[in-house]
């Protein structure tokens, strides 16, 4: 089960050749996928040989192989973690029953919706990142961008496989629609708003892979608990790939900060104007980008109170983060959780039934996890001896979903009037001027071992290769 058959048109470890109908359907989808990749995949990259990792097994030890590949020839395939013997449902109303190997009729619509919503984010991020290759700060970074892109493409395959195999004609139609929606398109946008935002520069890209790919991690972790076993096994393997995306984000932002701090110390200044003139991104601008990406991403967890979240949990479709490690009854009836609301011009906590607050539970787990990397960024600043600290904004800041949407809250968690908001928003969120400045730094650096002025080189290369390795051959 764990070995992958690469002799087939669609590499897989699901014995695809034994199900002719499914194989044919996916082989018909494949050229449409490749057309989408040609149209919406990384701009101008078709003839490059890129040092990519490809999954060759689902064995946690040594699952990937590295080598130069032309991206359109990347072997996108279908890889599920091995079946766990006698796996049981471990939360919700069906707790203790055998996990489902097929989709129960009564949960079909909800499962389809969950899979389509997850699937839609994968091609969306490729579309958002499609022009970044033109302004890469180094070959090393270009390679990492392309690695993220091909794996998001594979994540789309992972979801389309489930749709084709378990949802019949509806599933095939959804598979087509996933190739038709476009990030940011007015008439046919991607499903979730954060995936319709632009990723116009590399600071945005690093913030996106740190914060928004981490949302991916949390959604995948919740789905890895699912009673629908094929979904659990698919998402478990996707998580293996996801870890690298967040590494790209965390190390990318860290290197930007490192370079800025170095120039701050050289010039002995914290004046943003002087630092900008010296060609690095001042820390307050980095904070504003952080505020933006954090707030847009925590909206992805959905409304703080949601009857759908309760249904998804109780019916066993979607668990909590690390459901198996928690010591409660895993049914949650009669339990409560605190969510925020505004009363008399102040944020106050309110107890609500936990089942309805499961989006908030997942959001709070995500926030705890996000803070870790921000603290590691602060270590870089601290080590440079600079008295500035980055901070994730209050979770009520700049929200567009749930009770807190429509309330103006400062990054430190005070409800403010429109007037105060308007006066300070330029300190809190990146404005046109910030974005124009960051854009002005973006230029294409592709000589092996060279790096743009605004970012420090990484500590080490990919797969133990040197930093100045030829990660991309442009031909
Ligand atoms: Fe993904
Ligand atoms: Fe990702």
């Amino acid at each position: 089960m764990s070995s992958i058959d690469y002799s087939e048109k669609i590499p897989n470890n699901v014995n695809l050749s034994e199900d002719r109908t499914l194989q044919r359907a996916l082989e018909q989808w494949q050229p449409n996928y490749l057309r989408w990749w040609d149209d919406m995949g990384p701009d101008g990259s078709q003839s490059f040989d890129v040092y990519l990792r490809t999954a060759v097994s689902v064995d946690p030890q040594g699952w990937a192989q590295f080598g130069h590949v032309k991206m359109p020839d990347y072997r996108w395939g279908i890889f599920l973690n091995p079946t766990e013997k006698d796996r049981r449902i471990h939360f919700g109303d069906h707790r203790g029953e055998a996990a489902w190997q097929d989709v129960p009729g009564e949960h079909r619509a909800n499962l389809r919706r969950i899979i389509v919503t997850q699937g839609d984010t994968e091609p969306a991020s490729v579309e958002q990142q499609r022009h970044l290759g033109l302004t890469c700060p180094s070959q090393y970074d270009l390679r990492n961008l392309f690695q993220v892109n091909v794996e998001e493409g594979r994540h789309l395959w992972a979801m389309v496989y489930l749709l084709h195999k378990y949802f019949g004609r509806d599933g095939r139609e959804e598979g087509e629609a996933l190739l038709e929606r476009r990030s940011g398109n007015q008439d046919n946008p991607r499903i979730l708003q954060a995936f319709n935002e632009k990723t116009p520069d590399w600071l945005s890209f690093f913030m996106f892979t740190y914060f928004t790919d981490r949302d991916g991690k949390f959604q995948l972790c919740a789905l890895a608990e699912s009673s629908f076993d094929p979904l659990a096994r698919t998402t478990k393997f996707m998580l293996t790939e996801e870890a690298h995306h967040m590494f790209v984000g965390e190390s990318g932002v860290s290197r930007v900060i490192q370079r800025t701090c170095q120039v701050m110390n050289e010039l002995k200044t914290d004046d943003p104007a002087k630092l900008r003139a010296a060609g690095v991104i001042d820390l307050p601008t980095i904070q504003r980008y952080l505020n933006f990406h954090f707030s847009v991403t925590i909206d992805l967890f959905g409304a703080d109170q949601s009857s759908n979240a309760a249904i998804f949990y109780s019916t066993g479709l979607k668990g909590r983060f690390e459901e198996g490690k928690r010591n409660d009854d895993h049914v949650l009836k009669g339990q409560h959780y605190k969510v925020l609301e505004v009363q008399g011009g102040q944020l106050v906590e309110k107890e609500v039934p936990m089942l309805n607050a499961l989006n908030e539970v997942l959001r709070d787990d995500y926030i705890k996890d996000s803070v870790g990397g921000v603290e590691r960024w602060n270590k870089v600043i601290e080590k440079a001896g600079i008295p500035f600290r980055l901070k994730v904004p209050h979770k009520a800041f700049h929200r567009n979903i749930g009770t807190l949407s429509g309330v103006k809250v400062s990054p430190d968690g005070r409800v403010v009037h429109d007037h105060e908001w308007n006066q300070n928003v330029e300190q809190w969120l990146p404005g046109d001027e910030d974005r124009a400045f960051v854009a002005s730094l973006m230029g294409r650096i592709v000589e092996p071992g060279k790096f743009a002025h605004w970012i420090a080189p990484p500590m080490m290369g990919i797969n133990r290769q040197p930093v100045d390795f030829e990660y991309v051959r442009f031909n």
Side-chain angles (χ1 to χ4, degrees):
M1 189 34 135
S2 67
S3 73
I4 290 172
D5 188 347
Y6 269 93
S7 65
E8 287 190 46
K9 240 178 161 172
I10 302 170
N12 70 90
N13 70 347
V14 293
N15 297 329
L16 192 56
S17 58
E18 286 169 20
D19 186 342
R20 290 285 172 199
T21 317
L22 175 63
Q23 187 178 33
R24 252 199 313 275
L26 283 165
E27 284 180 2
Q28 276 171 17
W29 186 80
Q30 191 175 33
N32 298 342
Y33 170 81
L34 288 171
R35 250 194 305 279
W36 166 80
W37 180 268
D38 267 352
D39 285 353
M40 296 311 293
D43 203 351
S45 68
Q46 307 295 3
S47 63
F48 303 170
D49 292 316
V50 187
Y51 188 68
L52 295 174
R53 73 174 178 191
T54 305
V56 287
S57 146
V58 291
D59 182 347
Q61 261 72 49
W63 59 274
Q65 164 189 296
F66 288 78
H68 282 92
V69 188
K70 276 199 185 27
M71 272 191 293
D73 301 335
Y74 188 79
R75 302 301 310 276
W76 285 285
I78 299 159
F79 316 126
L80 270 65
N81 263 21
T83 326
E84 222 175 274
K85 215 173 152 260
D86 299 326
R87 182 170 176 255
R88 304 258 140 205
I89 298 172
H90 64 147
F91 64 92
D93 298 341
H94 300 286
R95 194 169 178 223
E97 295 172 21
W100 314 320
Q101 298 307 325
D102 218 326
V103 178
E106 68 269 36
H107 303 315
R108 197 181 156 86
N110 278 339
L111 267 173
R112 193 179 80 190
R113 183 168 150 201
I114 287 171
I115 293 168
V116 167
T117 307
Q118 178 61 42
D120 193 65
T121 65
E122 314 289 358
S125 61
V126 175
E127 292 166 2
Q128 288 171 294
Q129 295 162 14
R130 91 170 282 256
H131 299 298
L132 288 170
L134 306 176
T135 58
C136 60
S138 74
Q139 236 191 61
Y140 165 90
D141 290 291
L142 183 62
R143 177 266 165 211
N144 284 347
L145 166 72
F146 289 161
Q147 182 71 59
V148 170
N149 292 158
V150 291
E151 285 173 352
E152 300 306 3
R154 205 203 66 73
H155 291 175
L156 173 59
W157 273 93
M159 292 297 117
V160 166
Y161 163 73
L162 295 179
L163 290 169
H164 274 225
K165 179 159 167 93
Y166 298 98
F167 295 87
R169 193 181 156 172
D170 297 352
R172 290 193 295 278
E173 284 172 6
E174 295 284 12
E176 288 307 319
L178 282 163
L179 296 175
E180 284 159 12
R181 283 186 287 273
R182 289 287 181 272
S183 175
N185 186 295
Q186 290 264 303
D187 304 322
N188 197 11
R190 291 294 171 184
I191 296 169
L192 301 170
Q193 186 44 34
F195 292 89
N196 287 307
E197 302 281 351
K198 285 199 168 84
T199 311
D201 57 65
W202 280 74
L203 183 58
S204 301
F205 171 65
F206 293 138
M207 291 289 180
F208 185 97
T209 41
Y210 184 76
F211 286 110
T212 310
D213 282 75
R214 187 174 310 273
D215 158 72
K217 167 185 161 181
F218 276 77
Q219 300 299 341
L220 294 175
C221 281
L223 297 177
E225 309 285 345
S226 182
S227 310
F228 178 42
D229 199 48
L231 176 61
R233 289 164 53 211
T234 311
T235 46
K236 274 182 194 149
F237 186 67
M238 291 163 78
L239 281 162
T240 314
E241 294 162 314
E242 202 62 51
H244 174 69
H245 307 179
M246 290 177 289
F247 159 80
V248 169
E250 181 171 336
S251 58
V253 174
S254 182
R255 289 162 50 214
V256 176
I257 293 171
Q258 195 191 330
R259 184 77 186 112
T260 299
C261 290
Q262 189 194 340
V263 173
M264 286 174 80
N265 283 337
E266 277 166 18
L267 301 181
K268 298 192 174 39
T269 183
D270 61 2
D271 179 355
K274 285 186 186 149
L275 291 163
R276 285 182 175 203
V280 293
I281 306 171
D282 51 288
L283 298 176
T285 298
I286 295 173
Q287 176 69 63
R288 286 193 282 278
Y289 269 67
L290 186 163
N291 289 350
F292 175 77
H293 286 272
F294 178 82
S295 57
V296 166
T297 302
I298 61 174
D299 268 342
L300 286 171
F301 292 87
D304 33 359
Q305 290 186 70
S306 155
S307 52
N308 271 333
I311 292 168
F312 291 174
Y313 185 84
S314 291
T315 54
L317 307 186
K318 185 176 173 183
R320 287 170 294 171
F321 177 62
E322 300 191 322
E323 183 71 45
K325 292 189 187 164
R326 297 177 189 244
N327 306 316
D328 51 29
D329 69 357
H330 302 276
V331 182
L332 307 179
K333 295 214 163 84
Q335 300 196 36
H336 291 88
Y337 197 75
K338 290 192 176 105
V339 299
L340 291 175
E341 66 171 18
V342 176
Q343 265 178 28
Q346 295 218 321
L347 288 170
V348 291
E349 286 187 326
K350 170 173 107 169
E351 292 233 318
V352 299
M354 189 183 275
L355 279 172
N356 286 314
L358 285 172
N359 287 342
E360 196 66 16
V361 171
L362 195 59
R363 181 165 23 243
D364 287 340
D365 288 331
Y366 167 88
I367 290 173
K368 270 184 235 146
D369 200 56
S370 301
V371 169
V374 177
E375 286 315 313
R376 286 187 289 278
W377 295 337
N378 279 332
K379 286 267 180 303
V380 177
I381 306 175
E382 197 184 327
K383 234 176 118 184
I386 292 166
F388 183 100
R389 296 294 175 264
L390 294 162
K391 208 168 178 246
V392 301
H394 193 278
K395 74 172 170 183
F397 170 74
H398 189 229
R399 292 291 305 281
N400 277 304
I401 281 178
T403 316
L404 299 169
S405 63
V407 189
K408 297 269 193 307
V409 177
S410 63
D412 59 2
R414 282 176 305 111
V415 179
V416 297
H417 287 294
D418 283 356
H419 176 69
E420 189 180 346
W421 175 270
N422 293 335
Q423 262 191 337
N424 289 289
V425 67
E426 286 191 358
Q427 312 297 319
W428 294 341
L429 287 169
D432 293 345
E433 213 186 305
D434 295 325
R435 292 197 183 278
F437 168 69
V438 174
S440 77
L441 295 180
M442 300 295 123
R444 193 162 193 263
I445 309 275
V446 290
E447 295 86 354
K450 273 199 80 182
F451 287 82
H453 178 70
W454 53 271
I455 188 166
M459 301 275 271
M460 55 184 130
I462 292 296
N463 190 35
R464 296 196 203 95
Q465 298 290 357
V467 170
D468 64 357
F469 182 69
E470 197 176 9
Y471 289 104
V472 183
R473 298 187 194 128
F474 295 97
N475 303 309

